[in-house]
Amino acid sequence: LGSDLRGSTSDAGLPPSPGPHLTALPEGFRAGPQRALAASDGLSAVVSACGLLCTWGSDNAFGRLGRPTDGEEAPPGLPGLVGALQGLDVVQVAASATHMAAVDAQGAVLTWGKGSLGQLGHGPRAHAEAPAQVAGLKGRAVAEVACGEAFTVAVTRRG
């Protein structure tokens, strides 16, 4: 809902307008309810009932959509599958304006996007254009993640 001045709702090519926006998702997302949804300034993500992740937004700066930046995939403003996560069973996704995080069914955490403040967990100034597992959380069985502009937090299944 809202004017969507930053392209989060994927009405690609249409002028911003208040009210609900319907987004056409790629194959694999149409049947059944969706598992999870996340959105932030200029980007959105949805996890399908079968664990696929689809992202879209106003741009793919720092790889924040987790999709290739070579133009081979859907343009940033249109929903596209995060191919690097295919084969994983994604159960949750979180988003900030500059990066995203996902949790798979095994409790692994993967992050991508801008990491200049260490928010990805891959080192103090490491950006990631594709999802990468957070080594420091391996074996921790994470249940949920949340993203802020300069941080990512996680809750394990043990609390």
Side-chain angles (χ1 to χ4, degrees), residues 26-27 29 52-55 65-68 73-74 79-84 86:
E27 291 296 326
F29 282 82
L52 297 173
L53 179 66
C54 179
T55 62
L65 298 179
R67 296 171 15 208
E73 299 283 322
L81 290 174
V82 178
Q86 287 186 324

Side-chain angles (χ1 to χ4, degrees), residues 28-126:
F29 282 82
R30 299 198 177 138
Q34 308 311 314
R35 249 185 215 174
L37 176 69
S40 189
D41 190 18
L43 64 94
S44 296
V46 64
V47 178
S48 74
C50 62
L52 297 173
L53 179 66
C54 179
T55 62
W56 64 96
S58 58
D59 62 56
N60 196 16
F62 301 102
R64 70 185 189 147
L65 298 179
R67 296 171 15 208
T69 57
D70 59 11
E72 301 267 333
E73 299 283 322
L78 295 176
L81 290 174
V82 178
L85 296 179
Q86 287 186 324
L88 296 179
D89 185 8
V90 177
V91 296
Q92 198 249 332
V93 63
S96 81
T98 60
H99 74 286
M100 299 182 91
V103 178
D104 74 7
Q106 307 309 311
V109 176
L110 300 101
T111 59
W112 60 94
K114 186 175 182 179
S116 59
L117 299 172
Q119 62 268 48
L120 300 181
H122 306 303
R125 290 181 168 58

